[in-house]
Amino acid sequence: MNNDPFCGGRKLPLVEDFYTIQGEGFHAGKPAYFIRLGGCDVGCRWCDAKMTWNPRLYPPVEVDSIVERACSYPAQAIVITGGEPSLYPLDYLTERLTERGLEIFLETSGAHELTGRFDWICLSPKRQQPPVDSIYPRADELKVIVESEEDFRWAETNAARVAAGCRLYLQPEWSRYDRIVGPVVEYAKANPRWNISVQAHKFMRIP
Ligand SMILES: C[S@@+](CC[C@H](N)C(=O)[O-])C[C@H]1O[C@@H](n2cnc3c(N)ncnc32)[C@H](O)[C@@H]1O
Ligand SMILES: Nc1nc2[nH]cc(C(=O)O)c2c(=O)[nH]1
Ligand code: SF4
Ligand SMILES: [Mg+2]
């Protein structure tokens, strides 16, 4: 009997993997191979990846096979996302990708203690399940989703906790884009240490 379904990180629950253009944040516009892991316990009501939430739908698969597939594309960068990747042991995956000379970017809510080695960490904190303390100094980018004006205060609360060089982004919640983009633009103009991230892949109609 194996009590560890993830075999120390050699297997992970894969939802999908695909080569596309990073649509969000600092690396927006950069071709990247996405690895989307299943399972999330954070429960954002506007989550655009709800199909990932139930980990039982995604039995663990061999990480080596994911890495081989990624390497069959000309991608130079990998985005590890989900679901919530911090739920899983990521050392094995990130070591294998690093060995292949790939840059590794992470998308996380920071809800759980993080394992693995990353070239870039995007922290997208969620009010209902805030990040663990240890992720704040490691964030290269803070990306706060704005669905209403109340989220500007949440954005500042998190900005006060990241390192000095961390890039700050406000990202309009997609289903409220038309209503909230105006206030987001005005907030950034009045508080220019914040930049705006729009989900460019949705405008481009690509994955
Ligand atoms: C699907 S999440 C997966 C990674 C991780 N669970 C997280 O939330 O950071 C990827 C990114 O999409 C953002 N996101 C999800 N739904 C969104 C929406 N409706 N509008 C704007 N951004 C959204 C998240 O905040 C996160 O930055
Ligand atoms: N193109 C594209 N860019 C993205 N950046 C972050 C995404 C995510 O779901 O984590 C995402 C995504 O789903 N697609
Ligand atoms: S933390 Fe990320 S994957 Fe989980 S519900 Fe929120 S946006 Fe979706
Ligand atoms: Mg997405």
Side-chain angles (χ1 to χ4, degrees):
M1 257 288 277
N2 184 355
N3 292 324
D4 173 14
F6 310 116
C7 303
R10 286 164 187 268
K11 290 184 167 193
L12 289 171
L14 183 70
V15 175
E16 56 182 357
D17 52 341
F18 52 98
Y19 190 31
T20 186
I21 307 294
Q22 167 61 291
E24 304 179 12
F26 180 80
H27 292 290
K30 185 173 288 191
Y33 193 82
F34 277 61
I35 297 173
R36 191 183 301 282
L37 302 178
C40 184
D41 54 359
V42 179
C44 308
R45 66 177 166 277
W46 38 253
C47 178
D48 63 8
K50 285 185 175 163
M51 77 292 190
T52 65
W53 286 6
N54 183 353
R56 286 195 294 270
L57 298 178
Y58 308 103
V61 302
E62 294 284 349
V63 165
D64 288 346
S65 67
I66 304 173
V67 172
E68 286 311 317
R69 205 156 46 238
C71 290
S72 72
Y73 293 83
Q76 295 176 2
I78 303 289
V79 176
I80 299 174
T81 185
E84 183 40 64
S86 63
L87 283 167
Y88 302 107
L90 299 177
D91 286 316
Y92 185 80
L93 171 62
T94 57
E95 279 165 21
R96 295 292 82 77
L97 293 169
T98 301
E99 277 170 9
R100 308 297 278 263
L102 295 161
E103 275 199 295
I104 310 172
F105 306 155
L106 176 72
E107 300 275 339
T108 184
S109 70
H112 303 277
E113 292 292 338
L114 186 62
T115 53
R117 192 206 65 83
F118 303 92
D119 296 294
W120 190 269
I121 295 178
C122 173
L123 173 63
S124 184
K126 307 298 169 3
R127 220 191 292 258
Q128 73 276 16
Q129 195 170 328
V132 294
D133 293 342
S134 58
I135 191 74
Y136 284 100
R138 295 181 65 183
D140 297 288
E141 170 182 2
L142 176 68
K143 188 171 73 193
V144 179
I145 312 308
V146 182
E147 61 168 328
S148 77
E149 282 84 344
E150 288 159 30
D151 294 316
F152 296 129
R153 195 208 284 260
W154 173 241
E156 297 294 351
T157 300
N158 284 278
R161 301 197 58 189
V162 294
C166 182
R167 312 293 176 111
L168 305 182
Y169 289 94
L170 299 170
Q171 180 161 292
E173 193 281 302
W174 182 250
S175 68
R176 292 177 184 75
Y177 181 86
D178 290 343
R179 138 92 186 93
I180 203 64
V181 68
V184 169
V185 167
E186 290 314 313
Y187 193 88
K189 286 164 68 181
N191 302 275
R193 61 188 194 124
W194 290 95
N195 287 8
I196 296 176
S197 167
V198 293
Q199 295 185 292
H201 54 297
K202 295 183 181 177
F203 289 98
M204 291 190 280
R205 300 198 182 86
I206 58 174

